[in-house]
């Protein structure tokens, strides 16, 4: 599961591509944790434009990143969510705690 991160002025953008299922979720979580710890960003933007599929593992990734950003007093937003992933995240009620644009 490729995750490409860019950092600029304490804003971290992570582009997630491919399938975010139980096989790739751990790798994505570990990479996001590492980059958040390293950058201490004020804002994390998860760009899901390259995501082709997700299941409940994607929910876990978003919740963990959201919690981690709270620990570093930062905020998080999710952009370019594909329709399939949007259905999964909305069914879980994630839009009540995470900003989707």
């Amino acid at each position: 599961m490729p995750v490409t991160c860019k950092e600029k002025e304490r804003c971290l953008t992570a582009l997630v591509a491919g399938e975010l299922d139980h096989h790739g979720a751990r790798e994505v979580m570990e990479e996001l944790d590492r980059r958040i710890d390293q950058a201490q960003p004020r804002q994390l933007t998860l760009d899901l434009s390259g995501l082709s599929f997700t299941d409940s593992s994607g929910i876990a990734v978003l919740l963990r990143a959201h919690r981690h950003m709270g620990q570093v007093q930062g905020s998080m937003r999710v952009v370019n969510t594909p329709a399939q992933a949007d259905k999964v995240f909305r069914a879980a009620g994630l839009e009540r705690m995470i900003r989707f644009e």
Side-chain angles (χ1 to χ4, degrees):
M1 163 66 56
V3 179
T4 306
C5 294
K6 296 178 186 174
E7 184 185 346
K8 183 178 181 183
E9 298 175 6
R10 295 200 57 205
C11 292
L12 180 63
T13 301
L15 175 63
V16 180
E19 295 187 0
L20 188 53
D21 56 15
H22 71 279
H23 295 292
R26 180 175 299 268
E27 181 182 338
V28 172
M29 285 183 198
E30 289 172 356
E31 179 65 11
L32 289 174
D33 283 347
R34 187 180 71 75
R35 295 301 295 258
I36 291 168
D37 286 339
Q38 181 182 49
Q40 297 287 302
R42 282 182 285 219
Q43 170 136 359
L44 170 65
T45 300
L46 284 182
D47 183 342
L48 303 182
S49 59
L51 193 66
S52 59
F53 172 81
T54 193
D55 57 15
S56 60
S57 300
I59 296 168
V61 168
L62 266 61
L63 288 174
R64 181 166 168 165
H66 182 261
R67 184 174 56 247
H68 199 159
M69 286 303 297
Q71 292 169 348
V72 298
Q73 281 81 49
S75 63
M76 179 178 135
R77 67 187 185 128
V78 179
V79 299
N80 302 319
T81 308
Q84 185 272 329
D86 189 59
K87 287 180 185 178
V88 171
F89 299 148
R90 291 198 183 278
L94 291 185
E95 75 281 357
R96 291 182 298 216
M97 61 185 85
I98 298 172
R99 190 171 83 208
F100 287 82
E101 298 175 4

